[in-house]
């Protein structure tokens, strides 16, 4: 489902300490695209991702997904929105330490009414031989693969990734970004990804650059758009 943002504004703090972190963000992110959010630290990337994710409220503006408006949803509907439409991957993997890889992914499946096949997913993610290990028996890259599995097993419309390679070394980061691209191709989920990693530029369909709470660039990567 295409995601439309209309004039999203957000401030933190009160009165004279108030800072406007998002100063009117408008853009469209097309169904099935990989959209990368770039910008210096403090430019509002995480805040925007959290607002799209229904974790934080904007002060004004609209987010539309299909024919639904995120900000107008009541708490129960918002919970459903998060569960049905969104998968979240963070810099820290946030796995449940005493559950195995497979069980961590099952947690995600449990939240969905249309989960993907778990065994097939474990193979796609290169985790089949590790499925019975617990997180502290895994490398960082393997833990992030598991976290991606937990997010994607729900078959969400949108996968939100906030610095998914922030804690990983260069080569593992490239592997994880490639995996996110493979997942996008295979399952067709829209991906919105915050990263500082330059390797991303070739796989993105759309690159949005934020600065001081505003969109400075919003480019479609024409090379990746298939001919009609
Ligand atoms: P990054 O630059 O990697 O996004 P940040 O340190 O900017 O990391 O933010 C990480 C999280 O902490 C964000 O989701 C944000 O909501 C929260 N955060 C950032 N700054 C503050 C702050 N001054 N007070 C409270 N929470 C904050
Ligand atoms: P980025 O992800 O681009 O680094 P963030 O969205 O994390 O940027 O933060 C943008 C600005 O908003 C920063 O100045 C940060 O300190 C501030 N901020 C983020 N979350 C909070 C919060 N919960 N309370 C107060 N300030 C915050």
């Amino acid at each position: 489902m295409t995601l439309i943002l209309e004039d999203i504004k957000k401030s933190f703090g009160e009165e004279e300490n108030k800072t406007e972190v998002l100063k009117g963000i408008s853009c469209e992110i097309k169904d099935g695209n990989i959209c990368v959010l770039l910008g210096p630290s403090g430019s509002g990337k995480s805040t925007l991702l959290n607002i799209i994710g229904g974790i934080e409220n904007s002060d004004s503006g609209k987010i539309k997904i299909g024919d639904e408006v995120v900000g107008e949803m009541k708490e129960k509907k918002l919970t459903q929105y998060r569960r049905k439409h969104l998968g979240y991957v963070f810099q820290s993997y946030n796995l449940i330490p005493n559950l195995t890889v497979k069980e961590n992914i099952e947690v995600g499946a449990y939240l969905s009414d249309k989960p993907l096949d778990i065994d097939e997913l474990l193979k796609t993610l290169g985790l089949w031989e590790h499925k019975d290990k617990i997180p502290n028996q895994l490398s960082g890259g393997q833990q992030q693969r598991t976290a991606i599995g937990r997010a994607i097993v729900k078959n969400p419309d949108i996968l939100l990734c906030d610095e998914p390679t922030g804690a990983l070394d260069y080569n593992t980061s490239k592997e994880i970004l490639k995996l996110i691209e493979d997942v996008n191709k295979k399952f067709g989920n829209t991906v919105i990804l915050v990263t500082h990693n330059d390797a991303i530029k070739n796989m993105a369909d759309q690159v949005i650059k934020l600065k001081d709470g505003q969109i400075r660039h919003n480019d479609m990567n024409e090379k990746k758009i298939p001919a009609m």
Side-chain angles (χ1 to χ4, degrees):
M1 264 180 277
T2 294
L3 186 73
I4 296 173
L5 309 189
E6 285 178 8
D7 205 21
I8 300 292
K9 292 184 180 165
K10 177 74 177 179
S11 298
F12 289 108
E14 306 283 328
E15 306 283 324
E16 63 270 23
N17 293 322
K18 203 168 164 130
T19 39
E20 199 173 22
V21 170
L22 298 175
K23 301 176 180 168
I25 301 289
S26 301
C27 61
E28 185 177 321
I29 297 166
K30 289 214 164 57
D31 192 27
N33 273 5
I34 299 181
C35 172
V36 178
L37 275 181
L38 301 174
S41 187
S43 58
K45 304 181 297 295
S46 295
T47 303
L48 187 60
L49 217 58
N50 290 343
I51 290 172
I52 294 170
I55 295 173
E56 232 170 306
N57 290 320
S58 62
D59 300 333
S60 63
K62 261 191 192 170
I63 297 180
K64 295 184 197 160
I65 172 166
D67 49 16
E68 296 190 272
V69 178
V70 178
E72 290 170 4
M73 295 177 189
K74 299 255 158 44
E75 197 49 48
K76 197 169 160 203
K77 190 107 190 280
L78 197 61
T79 306
Q80 269 181 6
Y81 164 74
R82 286 195 210 105
R83 286 190 180 171
K84 263 176 65 180
H85 294 300
L86 300 178
Y88 228 121
V89 177
F90 304 92
Q91 174 170 338
S92 52
Y93 322 115
N94 300 331
L95 299 171
I96 301 175
N98 56 342
L99 296 186
T100 65
V101 166
K102 186 168 179 177
E103 288 164 346
N104 266 285
I105 293 176
E106 279 167 353
V107 170
Y110 179 74
L111 296 173
S112 175
D113 51 11
K114 48 169 185 179
L116 298 174
D117 183 272
I118 295 176
D119 286 353
E120 193 198 331
L121 186 60
L122 283 165
K123 288 172 193 161
T124 303
L125 296 171
L127 289 171
W128 182 251
E129 70 217 67
H130 305 295
K131 66 182 175 10
D132 298 319
K133 294 183 182 165
I134 57 168
N136 78 8
Q137 296 172 311
L138 301 172
S139 68
Q142 290 162 347
Q143 290 187 58
Q144 192 60 300
R145 282 167 189 269
T146 306
I148 290 169
R150 180 185 52 194
I152 207 76
V153 72
K154 303 197 288 180
N155 202 9
D157 297 308
I158 305 175
L159 184 66
L160 298 170
C161 306
D162 196 350
E163 301 264 11
T165 62
L168 300 171
D169 65 49
Y170 180 77
N171 286 324
T172 311
S173 296
K174 284 216 304 208
E175 264 173 48
I176 290 293
L177 294 176
K178 175 74 172 54
L179 183 71
I180 290 172
E181 186 182 22
D182 291 347
V183 159
N184 164 265
K185 281 207 187 105
K186 184 158 184 182
F187 303 114
N189 322 82
T190 305
V191 175
I192 307 177
L193 200 152
V194 170
T195 185
H196 292 292
N197 195 308
D198 268 356
I200 201 72
K201 289 200 178 131
N202 301 320
M203 65 184 248
D205 296 293
Q206 183 175 11
V207 177
I208 293 178
K209 287 186 189 156
L210 288 184
K211 196 167 179 223
D212 301 328
Q214 288 177 309
I215 294 183
R216 290 300 167 90
H217 295 278
N218 183 356
D219 299 318
M220 302 304 288
N221 186 351
E222 304 294 340
K223 278 178 300 197
K224 270 205 69 185
I225 297 172
M228 291 304 230

